[in-house]
Amino acid sequence: MSVPGAPPASPVHWSRSLRVRLLAVTLAGVAVAMVLAGLVLSGLFREHVQQQFQAALQLQLDQITARLEFDAQGQPVMAAEALSDPRWLKPYSGLYWQVDAMAPDGRERAGVLRSRSLWDTSLALQVDALADGAVHVHEMAGPQGAPLLVLERTVRAEGVHAARWRLMVAADLQATQAATARFTGVLALSLAVLLVLLAAAAWAQVALGLKPLQALQRAVQDVQEARASQLQGRFPAEVQPLVDDFNAVLRRHGEVVERARTQAGNLAHALKTPLTVLDNAASVQPPTDEQELAALVREQVVVARRHIDWHLARSRVAASAHLPGQRTALQPVVEGLVRVMNKVHADRALDISVAPPPVPLFFAGEAQDLQEMLGNLLDNACKWARSAVRLQAQLLPAGSEPAQPQLVVAVEDDGPGIDAAQRAQALERGVRLDETVPGTGLGLAIVQDLAALYGGRLDLEPAGLGGLRATLTLPAANAH
């Protein structure tokens, strides 16, 4: 939990914490995987050894069954020389056989016949209900307490249907259990060594994986402590896009700061002159002419106001020109401006016509900026037009140049036009080619600057109607 007012956690602490967390999660996962793998492998090996041991004992049971004979009275007989394995003859060798008699009433007589290896003991196996020929598997304690695996089956003497005999073959499990224990020990040791190696590999992987973040952390600290203006250094391909985007944000921030500093200086310089004039006029004692002073004040206030409007418009557009996802429909803006111009210039009865585009067009920017630019162009055309103003727009598809679709809006009039030598001068701030026409001399200059902030431009050329054609090129937005 963060404490209000406490400083943010250091990037170094964050990096170390992330390294510890990644390493802990990796080691925990590896350890769990190793334990599960060890249990599975140990179980598979034990099962495999048990099956092999049981299969070998099954062969011994089959041999005893094949060698068992019955005399004339139906009693079982086993010739010792008929069994090939010498362990049958060695006392407590770990391999045993035994034959029990099973009476019809369920009573059992154990150890009717047994191997020499059992010596003076017998296998005390619990009575088990067995179908003829079926084999059951048991584990029990045998001679000297040794663990035994026992296989049993029942047989009948030929011609004597009431006599049933249970044959048992048993083998010592100690060797098998010792082999399984040795395998489990070797497996545990191997997995422990593998766990250590994987832990070292995980530590190396985490350390190497976080090394670029440590370099990024140092680069950010250099920027914070003013040792560098951007993130510097070489980074992996996975981190480089983040570095590029962050540097782009830093450049954008620097541009905004520099633009704000320049505009503040320009505004201060622009206001200095009218304020100086007003100060000098006010210091004249007594005023020579009140009407002359009033006219001078109004003139200088207009000059100051147009400079303030100029810089405010530039500041607003500079702050919003590059915001993503902006889109403004052209037609509603044009229709609203035409209605305003018809009212403002109603006394001149101008014919303001708009050629509708074949498809809806959209400007990739704010509606207020589009109104500012088109409003200045239409107002300038109406001021100079004799009788007609025409507006038309089209979409210029994207190509190699420009790479983005462009919205082209042309406004022309049938006025006197502007000579080629004066067109560049008409785009300068505060320049009025004809002082008899009202205005501040900022209209076309504002349009040019706003268009440039959006990556567009304003071109002046002769119009087909005989006057001036102002062509505004702006970035277009998709219709969907």
Side-chain angles (χ1 to χ4, degrees):
M1 180 180 296
S2 61
V3 179
S10 170
V12 177
H13 296 164
W14 175 86
S15 177
R16 291 175 180 171
S17 176
L18 178 60
R19 185 188 300 115
V20 171
R21 290 198 299 268
L22 289 176
L23 191 57
V25 171
T26 303
L27 292 181
V30 171
V32 171
M34 289 297 177
V35 172
L36 293 178
L39 294 176
V40 171
L41 291 177
S42 179
L44 290 176
F45 180 78
R46 184 183 302 108
E47 182 180 356
H48 173 72
V49 172
Q50 187 85 0
Q51 289 177 351
Q52 293 294 103
F53 189 79
Q54 182 176 332
L57 200 57
Q58 177 75 42
L59 294 177
Q60 299 287 6
L61 179 61
D62 294 340
Q63 183 184 19
I64 295 296
T65 304
R67 296 292 186 267
L68 183 64
E69 297 179 355
F70 296 91
D71 58 13
Q73 289 76 30
Q75 295 300 312
V77 178
M78 178 70 69
E81 65 273 9
L83 301 177
S84 60
D85 197 323
R87 289 179 296 173
W88 299 122
L89 303 176
K90 181 180 179 181
Y92 306 129
S93 64
L95 183 61
Y96 316 102
W97 64 266
Q98 180 174 303
V99 178
D100 294 346
M102 303 178 65
D105 58 1
R107 291 179 299 174
E108 181 175 337
R109 188 159 47 95
V112 175
L113 287 178
R114 60 178 185 266
S115 64
R116 180 75 173 175
S117 58
L118 279 172
W119 197 241
D120 57 352
T121 62
S122 61
L123 300 176
L125 192 63
Q126 294 180 353
V127 177
D128 196 6
L130 285 172
D132 292 343
V135 177
H136 282 192
V137 181
H138 304 277
E139 290 188 15
M140 60 173 292
Q144 299 178 338
L148 300 179
L149 181 68
V150 182
L151 272 65
E152 63 168 335
R153 67 156 51 111
T154 59
V155 297
R156 292 180 182 271
E158 295 181 3
V160 185
H161 299 291
R164 298 177 68 238
W165 307 88
R166 183 164 69 163
L167 277 64
M168 290 177 285
V169 173
D172 194 342
L173 285 172
Q174 293 184 90
T176 301
Q177 292 174 347
T180 303
R182 286 195 301 270
F183 174 81
T184 303
V186 173
L187 179 63
L189 179 61
S190 301
L191 292 180
V193 173
L194 183 58
L195 177 61
V196 173
L197 295 177
L198 289 177
W203 180 86
Q205 182 179 9
V206 171
L208 292 176
L210 293 181
K211 190 174 182 180
L213 295 184
Q214 295 174 350
L216 180 60
Q217 167 201 330
R218 290 192 294 269
V220 172
Q221 288 178 344
D222 289 341
V223 173
Q224 290 177 337
E225 297 173 6
R227 290 192 296 266
S229 59
Q230 289 191 332
L231 300 182
Q232 299 177 353
R234 300 181 61 183
F235 301 93
E238 294 79 7
V239 181
Q240 190 61 45
L242 173 64
V243 174
D244 294 339
D245 292 343
F246 192 78
N247 283 336
V249 172
L250 291 177
R251 287 194 297 271
R252 175 64 180 161
H253 176 72
E255 293 173 359
V256 170
V257 172
E258 183 63 27
R259 187 181 297 114
R261 184 183 296 111
T262 302
Q263 290 179 357
N266 290 342
L267 181 59
H269 181 74
L271 295 179
K272 182 186 299 184
T273 299
L275 290 177
T276 301
V277 172
L278 292 177
D279 181 64
N280 292 335
S283 63
V284 176
Q285 295 294 337
T288 56
D289 189 345
E290 294 184 359
Q291 292 184 352
E292 180 181 351
L293 178 61
L296 178 62
V297 169
R298 286 194 299 270
E299 178 185 353
Q300 297 305 314
V301 167
V302 169
V303 172
R305 181 179 298 164
R306 74 185 183 188
H307 284 294
I308 292 174
D309 292 342
W310 164 275
H311 288 285
L312 287 178
R314 283 183 57 89
S315 299
R316 179 178 54 79
V317 176
S320 62
H322 298 284
L323 293 178
Q326 299 183 108
R327 191 179 74 156
T328 301
L330 176 66
Q331 184 175 354
V333 173
V334 171
E335 291 176 352
L337 291 173
V338 169
R339 288 194 298 268
V340 171
M341 294 303 158
N342 282 327
K343 293 179 180 180
V344 172
H345 302 279
D347 56 335
R348 300 180 56 200
L350 295 175
D351 178 20
I352 305 176
S353 61
V354 178
V359 294
L361 300 180
F362 295 87
F363 163 57
E366 287 192 349
Q368 187 175 356
D369 298 331
L370 184 61
Q371 292 173 352
E372 182 81 17
M373 290 182 282
L374 294 183
N376 277 300
L377 292 181
L378 283 172
D379 184 60
N380 185 76
C382 290
K383 287 179 180 178
W384 294 97
R386 294 188 177 92
S387 61
V389 174
R390 184 169 62 189
L391 184 146
Q392 56 184 358
Q394 62 177 337
L395 181 65
L396 182 63
S400 57
E401 184 64 33
Q404 181 182 1
Q406 300 290 307
L407 175 64
V408 180
V409 182
V411 179
E412 57 183 28
D413 60 74
D414 60 350
I418 303 177
D419 294 338
Q422 294 179 312
R423 288 171 195 162
Q425 185 181 2
L427 297 177
E428 296 178 2
R429 284 187 296 167
V431 175
R432 298 169 58 190
L433 300 181
D434 190 346
E435 297 292 338
T436 62
V437 178
T440 62
L442 293 175
L444 295 180
I446 289 178
V447 174
Q448 178 178 252
D449 278 6
L450 296 186
L453 289 174
Y454 277 102
R457 67 180 187 276
L458 175 63
D459 299 315
L460 302 180
E461 55 188 352
L465 296 178
L468 179 68
R469 175 186 177 93
T471 303
L472 180 63
T473 303
L474 297 171
N478 294 327
H480 305 288

